[in-house]
Amino acid sequence: MRKPRFEAKLLAMRAEFPQAADWLDQIPKSKWTQAYNEGKQYGHMTTNLAECMNSVLKGARALPITVLVNETFNKINDSFLTKGIKIMNMIKAEHRYSEDIYVMMQKNQHIATSHYVRMYVRKIGEFEIQEIANTQLGRRAMACTVKLNEWSCDCGQFQALRLPCSHAIAACAFCNLNSDDFVDPVYKLENIFKVYQHHFHSLGSEGTWPQYLGPYFMSDPLKRRQTSGRPTTTRIHNEMDESIPNRCKKCSLYRSE
Ligand SMILES: [Zn+2]
């Protein structure tokens, strides 16, 4: 979300819920908004990461604690092995990115062909990118300032995802730069594969384990949740969650093409 749009929404909220806006004012915007993100979040929000682990551990909830730990260990081991093999096969097939990233870049490249580019400061890679109005979609013509050296664009996508948006791609094309050079290395399969190179080892039978000498813990009955069922999800969707048409729902993030 661009800063002006965010500020307009915040203003609307301030008019209706001034106390909520006052409360939000106490938290730096860089801590909770993508519009003012100053770090490298790659489009992730904390709750999304928690939901991601939830999906890996599905079925391992509400079990006795020792079974729960064992199941968690086994499921993560299975996940590492499956994903590691999948990514290795994709690398062998000479893929550079996961399909989600590939599709997003293809889409941005297609949109970039309709942008008009004006260069300002070549040394720092500053450009103004003019979008063409689309009356059918009701989109006004907008201009974005891209600073390639700073990996930033007014649209906010470039710096938030560390992937070139359509404006950055248009700027790269204008001065014959490879837009792939502006894809953060964390998206490269060869780097993702390194995550899954860590190995788990069999725990063996409990009788072979060393004796436990640490403190023993007991659950506090007062902290038990009173309501039944799973809490409702508060997952926050963003650009990375846009669905891909005709995509098989059973496929995982790193499936091959
Ligand atoms: Zn942009």
Side-chain angles (χ1 to χ4, degrees):
M1 185 186 290
R2 297 172 195 229
K3 286 179 186 174
R5 189 169 165 224
F6 168 80
E7 291 296 342
K9 283 186 178 289
L10 188 60
L11 200 64
M13 193 180 80
R14 197 178 296 282
E16 197 157 347
F17 307 104
Q19 282 180 313
D22 289 345
W23 184 81
L24 283 172
D25 285 342
Q26 295 169 38
I27 310 168
K29 287 175 186 161
S30 59
K31 302 277 186 200
W32 62 279
T33 73
Q34 289 198 342
Y36 287 91
N37 168 35
E38 295 168 356
K40 295 180 181 177
Q41 290 176 285
Y42 305 101
H44 287 294
M45 307 293 276
T46 306
T47 50
N48 291 6
L49 292 175
E51 287 289 319
C52 178
M53 280 315 291
N54 265 351
S55 71
V56 173
L57 302 176
K58 206 172 184 179
R61 283 190 287 263
L63 295 169
I65 190 72
T66 48
V67 184
L68 184 103
V69 171
N70 205 34
E71 269 297 284
T72 304
F73 181 82
N74 287 332
K75 278 182 178 288
I76 293 178
N77 174 50
D78 292 347
S79 176
F80 265 57
L81 283 175
T82 320
K83 287 187 174 164
I85 291 167
K86 230 174 228 183
I87 293 167
M88 188 174 66
N89 288 336
M90 288 177 76
I91 292 170
K92 279 182 187 168
E94 300 189 348
H95 292 268
R96 282 175 297 167
Y97 311 108
S98 70
E99 190 180 341
D100 281 10
I101 298 299
Y102 177 77
V103 168
M104 189 181 284
M105 288 182 65
Q106 288 287 101
K107 185 179 156 195
N108 285 345
Q109 267 165 5
H110 177 70
I111 298 169
T113 56
S114 65
H115 293 338
Y116 176 76
V117 183
R118 175 171 284 129
M119 181 187 276
Y120 280 88
V121 188
R122 186 179 182 92
K123 197 175 174 186
I124 60 167
E126 184 178 329
F127 299 84
E128 184 183 271
I129 313 296
Q130 184 72 49
E131 292 182 358
I132 294 171
N134 188 326
T135 47
Q136 283 181 328
L137 294 174
R139 284 173 58 176
R140 290 179 299 143
M142 288 193 295
C144 283
T145 300
V146 170
K147 291 178 182 169
L148 286 177
N149 283 15
E150 296 175 15
W151 288 45
S152 79
C153 176
D154 283 350
C155 76
Q157 193 194 49
F158 193 12
Q159 53 271 46
L161 302 183
R162 307 279 296 170
L163 274 174
C165 55
S166 62
H167 314 111
I169 289 173
C172 286
F174 186 85
C175 51
N176 291 322
L177 288 173
N178 186 351
S179 58
D180 275 11
D181 293 341
F182 294 92
V183 176
D184 195 285
V186 297
Y187 292 113
K188 297 207 162 105
L189 288 177
E190 64 200 51
N191 288 325
I192 294 170
F193 184 62
K194 287 176 191 167
V195 174
Y196 299 106
Q197 279 183 311
H198 293 276
H199 301 297
F200 290 76
H201 296 283
S202 164
L203 294 176
S205 108
E206 200 173 326
T208 62
W209 296 358
Q211 191 187 357
Y212 177 69
L213 300 171
Y216 281 84
F217 298 93
M218 294 186 70
S219 61
D220 181 351
L222 296 174
K223 299 233 170 114
R224 177 174 283 197
R225 198 167 62 216
Q226 297 301 317
T227 52
S228 60
R230 194 180 167 209
T232 50
T233 179
T234 52
R235 194 173 194 283
I236 299 167
H237 288 256
N238 57 30
E239 295 93 336
M240 299 290 277
D241 297 303
E242 284 180 15
S243 62
I244 300 166
N246 306 320
R247 170 171 153 178
C248 172
K249 299 297 180 204
K250 288 182 181 174
C251 296
S252 65
L253 181 64
Y254 300 113
R255 68 197 180 283
S256 28
E257 295 174 324

